[in-house]
Amino acid sequence: MDSPEHLYAVIMAGGRGERFWPAGRRRRPKQMLRLLGQHTMIEETCQRLFPLIAPERLLVITNRDYVEQIRQLLPIPGENVIGEPEGRNTAPCVALATALIRRRDRNATMILLPADHVIRPAKIFQETLLAAARAAQHDALVTLGITPRDPATGYGYIELGEPVEGDFRRALSFREKPDAETARKFFLSGKYRWNSGIFVWRGDTIAGELERYAPELARRMQNWADGGDYTEDFATCEPVSIDRAVMEKSRKVIVGEAPFYWNDLGSWSSLRSILPADADGNVIRGRVLPLSSADNILINDDEKTLIGVIGIRDAAIIKSGDGILVCALSEEQRVRDLVRRIDDSDFV
């Protein structure tokens, strides 16, 4: 790399976190929840980038409804928190981040990462990002691949090809979330990694690949980089992921190994898997008393109310604010459907 001052980071924080209802709400998305301790997810994401990234070189792209909340939470310049007029998935987010950084630094190398992952320890994570930034100087789009811990169906997978340098390998293909049998084949083959959604590349490299594979979005990106007002046309961008728009098509993608603990905390069961549990496998927060119950996640934020749980297994029982969720963990992917029903009902 030319020098440390050319390294930037962009936290993508536009999601609503519907699967964490009732703790997560429209005005309090997952990245603003304190799921693991005293700090919100976005605060933890920000802190693990220091001191690798100076505060003035850390940007957050979020929904415009969350801008002021995030500005109050994070120790970065207020103008570095940018609100999207409307959520349009990750490709327009990447284009906007690239444009805004290229306004500042035409030689920038960018780290892009979600706001709501659990990553430990920070030191190894930063060392991995530095190695990826060095690899990105060779006109590569670098993504970090997570060695699967099990044949999970909730993650996308990346098929690994030949080594290119060090611990990096060519990406042969990106696979959507597989069914159970396909996930088992991927897991047993040893040739696949979970797609972490963490990317590192030079600004000019991603700009060139957007121009090649998503020319309309690249045209808008160039206009924004030249000083155009993104609020005028961002909401009309095609809502497409950066994986679909570029990564699945580009021949410049390489995959780095991720020698750190990673969890994307996509559901109540994923939170259960990393929090301390009692002898029966129950994760308990707040005033909850379980009897003959096991392997649950039981959370109550109401100090005046006691929740009794009898004979329940593998469930989430969550009391937060004015909402209560009772859900078999095998059905937790339907929490998003429940939230949509709530939005369309008189219960809002």
Side-chain angles (χ1 to χ4, degrees):
M1 294 185 58
D2 295 335
S3 65
E5 66 265 21
H6 293 299
L7 186 60
Y8 292 73
V10 179
I11 299 175
M12 299 178 286
R16 290 177 57 185
E18 295 170 324
R19 285 178 288 182
F20 278 94
W21 189 87
R25 304 291 181 102
R26 184 176 298 173
R27 294 290 183 179
R28 189 179 60 196
K30 180 171 65 170
Q31 59 267 29
M32 256 80 92
L33 297 180
R34 293 175 172 83
L35 294 174
L36 299 176
Q38 296 181 343
H39 300 291
T40 63
M41 299 298 294
I42 195 169
E43 285 178 289
E44 294 193 357
T45 301
C46 177
Q47 291 296 334
R48 77 170 64 98
L49 291 167
F50 298 151
L52 176 65
I53 305 295
E56 63 269 17
R57 288 186 280 109
L58 175 57
L59 279 68
V60 176
I61 308 290
T62 187
N63 187 295
R64 63 183 176 184
D65 293 337
Y66 309 146
V67 167
E68 290 307 318
Q69 293 182 63
I70 292 175
R71 284 176 175 168
Q72 293 175 21
L73 282 172
L74 301 185
I76 65 176
E79 63 270 19
N80 283 16
V81 181
I82 296 99
E84 297 174 334
E86 185 175 327
R88 305 306 286 169
N89 214 319
T90 53
C93 176
V94 167
L96 177 58
T98 303
L100 296 178
I101 288 176
R102 283 170 70 78
R103 285 183 186 180
R104 304 183 184 195
D105 187 347
R106 303 293 291 186
N107 298 312
T109 295
M110 305 163 54
I111 299 164
L112 294 103
L113 67 166
D116 49 12
H117 289 180
V118 179
I119 294 175
R120 300 168 179 157
K123 183 176 186 296
I124 293 178
F125 178 58
Q126 291 189 12
E127 291 171 353
T128 305
L129 292 178
L130 270 178
R134 296 188 191 102
Q137 303 314 301
H138 302 289
D139 199 33
L141 303 179
V142 184
T143 186
L144 300 184
I146 310 297
T147 301
R149 296 185 289 270
D150 52 62
T153 59
Y155 301 131
Y157 285 71
I158 307 172
E159 182 182 8
L160 301 181
E162 72 278 7
V164 289
E165 58 174 280
D167 291 330
F168 295 89
R169 297 175 70 175
R170 190 74 59 193
L172 291 183
S173 66
F174 284 72
R175 305 296 184 92
E176 295 293 331
K177 297 175 182 178
D179 58 33
E181 181 57 31
T182 303
R184 182 174 177 274
K185 291 178 180 177
F186 289 172
F187 178 68
L188 293 176
S189 76
K191 298 178 181 179
Y192 291 82
R193 297 293 183 266
W194 287 339
N195 184 355
S196 71
I198 300 171
F199 309 108
V200 185
W201 45 53
R202 290 198 327 244
D204 58 347
T205 303
I206 187 61
E209 293 300 89
L210 281 167
E211 186 173 351
R212 176 173 296 177
Y213 298 110
E216 173 58 25
L217 184 57
R219 182 190 64 77
R220 298 185 191 216
M221 178 192 66
Q222 187 59 54
N223 176 54
W224 301 335
D226 292 339
D229 184 0
Y230 67 89
T231 63
E232 292 182 352
D233 59 349
F234 186 90
T236 61
C237 290
E238 180 185 359
V240 61
S241 70
I242 191 64
D243 287 345
R244 183 66 57 85
V246 173
M247 304 298 281
E248 294 176 2
K249 303 169 184 175
S250 175
R251 297 183 179 181
K252 296 184 177 183
V253 181
I254 63 175
V255 184
E257 296 290 344
F260 46 78
Y261 175 81
W262 173 91
N263 192 313
D264 80 340
L265 276 194
S267 64
W268 288 114
S269 62
S270 63
L271 181 61
R272 181 190 65 170
S273 71
I274 63 174
L275 289 176
D278 66 11
D280 295 314
N282 295 307
V283 170
I284 301 173
R285 280 186 178 176
R287 300 188 68 211
V288 183
L289 180 61
L291 297 178
S292 304
S293 298
D295 301 323
N296 302 295
I297 179 164
L298 309 169
I299 296 177
N300 179 12
D301 70 356
D302 185 348
E303 296 180 356
K304 297 180 179 180
T305 300
L306 173 65
I307 298 177
V309 179
I310 302 174
I312 302 296
R313 301 183 67 94
D314 293 304
I317 300 177
I318 314 295
K319 166 71 170 68
S320 181
D322 62 356
I324 299 174
L325 173 71
V326 180
C327 175
L329 289 175
S330 61
E331 297 287 329
E332 67 179 341
Q333 297 302 317
R334 299 179 64 191
V335 173
R336 301 177 86 171
D337 299 331
L338 177 66
V339 170
R340 294 187 183 105
R341 290 283 296 274
I342 293 171
D343 288 345
D344 293 337
S345 73
D346 296 328
F347 296 120
V348 178

